[in-house]
Amino acid sequence: MSTNGKHKLTAMMLVRNEAERYLNTCLSHLNVYTDEIIILDDASTDNTSEVCLTYPKVKLYRNEEPMFIANESLARKKLWQLVEKSNPDWILAIDADEVFEDQIESQIGYIMAGDDYDAVEFRIFDFWKSMTHYRVDGLWNPWNRFSTLLIRYQPGKVYSWPDLPLHCGRIPMEYRSHRIKRFQSNIRVKHFGWADEKDHIKKYAFYKQKDPEGRLQAKNHLESVLDKEVKLEEWTESKSLSF
Amino acid sequence: MAKISILTTNHYSPEGNRIIYGGAERYGVEFTKMLVEMGFDVEWWQIGTGWESEIIPGVKLRTIPESEAPLKTLPRLNQAFYEKTVDADLAVYFVTFLAYPQVKEKSISISHGIFWDYPGFDTDLQTDTERREWLRRLYIALNGPQKVVSVDTATIQWAVSTWPGLFNKFEYIPNFVDTEKFKPGDKVLGNNKVRVAFPRRMTSVRGINEAAYAAEVLTKKYKNVEFHFIGRAHSDELEKQLTQWANRSQNIYYYWKSPEDMPRVLVNMDIVLIPSKSTEGTALSCLEAMAVGLPIIAGYVGGLSDLIINGYNGLLIKPTPKNLVNAIDYLLKNPDLRQKIGRNARETALAFDITIWKKRWAEVISEVLGK
C-alpha cells in the first residue's frame, strides 16, 4: 500500500557531499509523502550515505568513483535504471537542496490520481544568500518558468537522455516532447542551492570550467551569479488545504 | 469514415509555455471525445509555428502560422484552413468569427457567448468605419455555416434582433455538466469553516476584483469564513500577485486544480461566486457548482440567466462590489436557504447533463451532413 492510497511514488536523487547542506531537510519532507526514495550517492567523501540511511524509505546505491562530474548523462541513466526497478507509478525527480511547500503532503495523492496528464510541472524558487528571500531578476524569475519534476512511469517504454556532459536534465527526453500531456501545479518548490553565499564562487567555477563557452546554458545566466545588484522577493508560504 | 476538421484559435498557447484548461478548452476536449465516439475521423487546427500535438490521444492538432487578426477576425487563418482541409466532410469553426470570410460546403460554427460586451471592445475598434466593418464581417461569419450552435440564448436574441433572417441559422445547445462526476458529497471534516469559492479564470470580466474586495470585507467581518480563489490567471505576474495577496491573509486561498480534481474540491465549498460582468456563456464552472448542489451568486450576463433563476437555484445580481458583498452576506446568514437553493441547483443541473448535450449535437451534425 502506498502512502497516498493508490499510486506508488518514488523519488529519485543524485547526491554528492550533501550531508552539511540541506539533505536532512529535503529527506525529512520526502519521507512524509513518498513511498520510496532512490538515491545514487556519487562517491561522497563526507557522511552523506549515513545521513541518507537514517530515513527508512531510502534505498541507497553508491558509486565508488565520481561519475556525475565526468559524464552527467551516464550518471542520470544509471539512476533511472535503479528507479525503474522500484516499479513506481509516478517518479519525482528532485535535488538534495529542494523542498516542496508543505501543501504537497495533502495534495500529491490527488495530483497522481489524474488521468489527463503524464507530467507535472512546478515553479522553482532560487533562494538567494538567505533562507527568506528568492531571486527574481532576469532569468532567475521563478514566476515565468515551470520545470517538469513529477512524471508518470510507463513500463515497457524506451527512455533516453541527451548525450551531454552537463545540464542534460533530470528527466528522460521522452517527457520533454510537445506530445506529453502536462499539468502545471500552483504548488511551489524552494531551491536552497544558492541560499549560502559561500557556495556561489564554488558553483560558478564548476560550471565555468565545464562549459567555458556557455554552450549548454545561457552564458549571461552563469555570469549573473556574480551580479552585485540583484532583485529579491520575500518568500511567503502558501497555506495547506484541509481537503 | 466521415472526416471532421475543426478550426480554433489557441487550444494550446502558440508558444506552449503556459498551459491553461479553461472552459473553451474543456469544451473542445469533450466535443472531440463525442465525435470520436460517434465514429468520426477528427482533426484540429490552430495558430502555431508548425508544431503538432494531440488534443486527446489519437486525435491530431496541427498548426498554421497565420496570426494576423485585422478587426478581430482571422481571414488568413480561415483561408489556410480552407485550403489544407480538402478531404474534410464537415468543418467546425470552433469560434464564430473563424467562419469569416469563407466556409466549407458543409460547416457548423459554435458561439460560446457574446464576447463584444466588454468595455475595451469599444476602444479596440475606434472608428465608426471599423465598427461597421466588424459588424459586416460578423454577419458574414454567422451567415456562412449551415448551422450556428449557440451555448446561450442571449447571443441568439442579439443576433436575431439585429438580423431577423438568421433566425433559423441558430441552434441552442447549452453547455453541459457530467452529473455523475459532479454530484453532492460529504465534506472532509475539519475546521468548520464556511467556504466561498471563485472557481474561474482570474480576469476582470469574470469579476475577480469584485470578488477579491468581497473576500477582504467578509473575512474581516467573519472569522469562520474562508475564500478560495481557484483558477489560473492570464499572466504569470497576476498569478504572483494573487499568491502573495492570499498568503498575507489567514482565510484567503489562491490555487488551481486540474479539471478532473474539481468535483472533490467543490464538494468542500459552501457558496460559489460567478459574478461575471461580460463575455459569458453558459459557464461550465457555474453548471459544475450547480451539479454539486451549491448555491451560486451569478451576474446577469450572457448565458448565466439561462441557468439561474433568482432566489430559486441561486442569486442573480448586478455584480457590483456592494451587491456581491450583500449577496454573500445574505447567504452566510441563511444556511437553510443555502441548502434549499443548492438542492434546486442540483435539480436544474440534471437538465444540462452531458448525455443531453451529446444527443442534441448528434441531431445537428446529422442534419448538416444529411443536407
Side-chain angles (χ1 to χ4, degrees):
Chain A
M1 188 67 164
S2 72
T3 309
N4 291 289
K6 282 185 187 156
H7 302 92
K8 180 175 178 183
L9 174 61
T10 298
M12 65 171 178
M13 204 189 278
L14 199 55
V15 297
R16 179 177 160 81
N17 294 344
E18 298 286 350
E20 301 301 318
R21 299 180 79 236
Y22 311 94
L23 186 60
N24 264 311
T25 316
C26 174
L27 288 176
S28 59
H29 271 82
L30 288 177
N31 205 48
V32 176
Y33 62 88
T34 65
D35 299 297
E36 199 161 38
I37 308 165
I38 307 282
I39 299 181
L40 178 56
D41 180 359
D42 197 27
S44 289
T45 52
D46 65 358
N47 65 335
T48 289
S49 285
E50 287 76 7
V51 171
C52 291
L53 287 170
T54 60
Y55 294 88
K57 288 177 180 171
V58 167
K59 248 194 189 161
L60 183 74
Y61 300 86
R62 221 181 116 78
N63 287 336
E64 289 312 317
E65 294 295 325
M67 191 185 237
F68 185 88
I69 285 188
N71 190 330
E72 180 181 334
S73 184
L74 266 186
R76 297 276 181 204
K77 275 181 206 159
K78 181 171 176 185
L79 176 61
W80 180 257
Q81 282 161 6
L82 296 169
V83 171
E84 282 192 302
K85 280 190 216 148
S86 86
N87 203 20
D89 293 310
W90 288 85
I91 296 167
L92 182 65
I94 194 161
D95 284 348
D97 52 11
E98 291 173 340
V99 177
F100 274 88
E101 287 185 290
D102 287 347
Q103 55 168 320
I104 192 82
E105 293 170 17
S106 66
Q107 301 303 306
I108 186 78
Y110 301 119
I111 293 175
M112 293 192 295
D115 290 323
D116 288 347
Y117 45 82
D118 295 319
V120 185
E121 303 183 346
F122 302 88
R123 287 181 171 129
I124 299 178
F125 290 67
D126 296 302
F127 280 67
W128 196 259
K129 298 182 184 178
S130 82
M131 299 294 280
T132 56
H133 289 72
Y134 52 88
R135 188 165 171 184
V136 296
D137 54 297
L139 291 169
W140 296 90
N141 186 355
W143 297 100
N144 61 14
R145 58 192 160 96
F146 279 91
S147 307
T148 306
L149 302 183
L150 181 65
I151 51 185
R152 187 196 304 276
Y153 178 61
Q154 287 150 321
K157 266 200 171 182
V158 178
Y159 294 99
S160 58
W161 299 81
D163 202 10
L164 295 173
L166 189 67
H167 295 307
C168 68
R170 54 175 109 172
I171 55 161
M173 292 297 286
E174 288 66 25
Y175 289 98
R176 306 181 206 179
S177 121
H178 245 303
R179 284 177 176 263
I180 283 281
K181 294 273 181 200
R182 295 155 198 287
F183 173 63
Q184 294 178 329
S185 171
N186 62 281
I187 302 176
R188 297 173 296 162
V189 178
K190 295 176 268 193
H191 172 232
F192 297 124
W194 302 99
D196 189 342
E197 196 173 355
K198 289 201 302 290
D199 295 337
H200 284 208
I201 295 293
K202 204 166 63 191
K203 286 181 94 163
Y204 172 83
F206 170 74
Y207 288 118
K208 188 80 178 169
Q209 178 249 324
K210 290 290 286 184
D211 182 28
E213 301 303 317
R215 273 186 307 225
L216 305 172
Q217 186 188 31
K219 199 172 178 181
N220 55 352
H221 188 48
L222 179 56
E223 295 304 325
S224 70
V225 168
L226 304 177
D227 285 350
K228 289 280 172 263
E229 278 186 37
V230 301
K231 204 173 156 213
L232 303 178
E233 264 169 24
E234 187 175 6
W235 174 265
T236 54
E237 184 90 5
S238 298
K239 297 176 284 295
S240 293
L241 295 170
S242 59
F243 51 86
Chain B
M1 191 193 286
K3 181 162 187 177
I4 300 185
S5 296
I6 305 169
L7 178 64
T8 189
T9 49
N10 296 313
H11 182 82
Y12 298 115
S13 91
E15 301 82 30
N17 52 353
R18 281 172 57 83
I19 305 162
I20 309 275
Y21 294 104
E25 290 75 23
R26 286 154 57 204
Y27 191 109
V29 167
E30 292 302 330
F31 188 61
T32 308
K33 285 183 190 162
M34 173 187 73
L35 295 177
V36 170
E37 276 169 25
M38 288 163 74
F40 291 108
D41 178 14
V42 184
E43 64 170 12
W44 280 72
W45 294 83
Q46 73 153 64
I47 300 166
T49 50
W51 50 266
E52 278 189 20
S53 188
E54 286 184 341
I55 196 147
I56 61 169
V59 176
K60 275 201 173 129
L61 178 142
R62 297 194 171 90
T63 56
I64 300 171
E66 294 287 0
S67 58
E68 199 184 311
L71 298 177
K72 303 186 165 292
T73 55
L74 286 143
R76 294 174 76 101
L77 181 69
N78 167 289
Q79 281 304 288
F81 171 76
Y82 191 99
E83 298 301 330
K84 284 175 187 293
T85 54
V86 283
D87 59 344
D89 298 293
L90 172 69
V92 174
Y93 297 87
F94 195 67
V95 184
T96 44
F97 65 82
L98 289 175
Y100 169 81
Q102 197 178 19
V103 292
K104 307 289 276 189
E105 187 180 12
K106 292 186 174 176
S107 55
I108 299 172
S109 77
I110 304 173
S111 165
H112 299 276
I114 289 171
F115 59 87
W116 50 93
D117 56 346
Y118 71 94
F121 195 83
D122 211 45
T123 44
D124 287 349
L125 299 178
Q126 293 197 341
T127 64
D128 269 356
T129 315
E130 280 183 350
R131 280 175 220 141
R132 270 202 307 275
E133 175 58 13
W134 176 81
L135 212 54
R136 189 185 73 89
R137 292 182 185 193
L138 181 63
Y139 178 78
I140 291 171
L142 293 174
N143 194 43
Q146 273 103 328
K147 286 289 178 194
V148 178
V149 168
S150 177
V151 305
D152 65 14
T153 59
T155 310
I156 301 173
Q157 286 163 20
W158 184 91
V160 172
S161 63
T162 310
W163 302 295
L166 293 181
F167 184 78
N168 287 309
K169 192 63 83 174
F170 280 99
E171 295 292 336
Y172 169 48
I173 308 183
N175 280 341
F176 54 84
V177 58
D178 185 334
T179 58
E180 292 288 317
K181 285 185 183 152
F182 288 88
K183 57 186 178 193
D186 295 328
K187 287 186 170 54
V188 173
L189 292 176
N191 53 15
N192 293 324
K193 295 276 172 83
V194 181
R195 299 198 187 100
V196 183
F198 178 90
R200 302 304 306 273
R201 201 84 68 87
M202 303 290 139
T203 64
S204 60
V205 293
R206 299 281 169 259
I208 175 65
N209 291 313
E210 288 78 0
Y213 170 76
E216 296 213 338
V217 171
L218 292 166
T219 51
K220 277 194 188 88
K221 185 171 177 183
Y222 301 105
K223 293 294 164 227
N224 68 330
V225 173
E226 285 180 357
F227 275 74
H228 290 248
F229 291 82
I230 313 166
R232 297 205 64 176
H234 269 314
S235 72
D236 296 320
E237 176 61 26
L238 199 54
E239 285 174 2
K240 168 184 141 177
Q241 288 173 20
L242 282 159
T243 302
Q244 295 176 337
W245 171 71
N247 288 356
R248 281 197 295 273
S249 163
Q250 207 183 337
N251 285 326
I252 300 175
Y253 291 75
Y254 173 58
Y255 53 91
W256 61 81
K257 298 289 171 197
S258 68
E260 50 189 335
D261 201 14
M262 280 306 288
R264 173 187 73 87
V265 173
L266 285 174
V267 160
N268 285 288
M269 298 296 145
D270 297 282
I271 296 169
V272 164
L273 311 180
I274 313 281
S276 285
K277 295 185 288 189
S278 65
T279 53
E280 189 61 276
T282 37
L284 292 177
S285 52
C286 186
L287 284 163
E288 288 165 357
M290 291 167 75
V292 170
L294 295 171
I296 286 142
I297 301 171
Y300 48 64
V301 165
L304 293 177
S305 47
D306 288 335
L307 307 180
I308 302 289
I309 297 167
N310 187 38
Y312 171 70
N313 57 359
L315 300 182
L316 205 57
I317 63 167
K318 178 164 79 175
T320 62
K322 277 209 176 106
N323 286 351
L324 186 60
V325 168
N326 291 341
I328 300 168
D329 207 359
Y330 177 60
L331 286 184
L332 287 173
K333 285 176 181 151
N334 292 283
D336 291 346
L337 184 68
R338 293 207 301 266
Q339 296 281 325
K340 189 179 140 209
I341 284 180
R343 276 195 300 274
N344 292 339
R346 168 71 190 175
E347 280 299 308
T348 311
L350 295 175
F352 295 87
D353 188 71
I354 192 163
T355 52
I356 300 167
W357 178 76
K358 287 181 181 174
K359 193 165 158 284
R360 284 287 292 128
W361 259 110
E363 288 164 4
V364 172
I365 290 170
S366 79
E367 191 186 337
V368 172
L369 276 178
K371 271 181 187 170

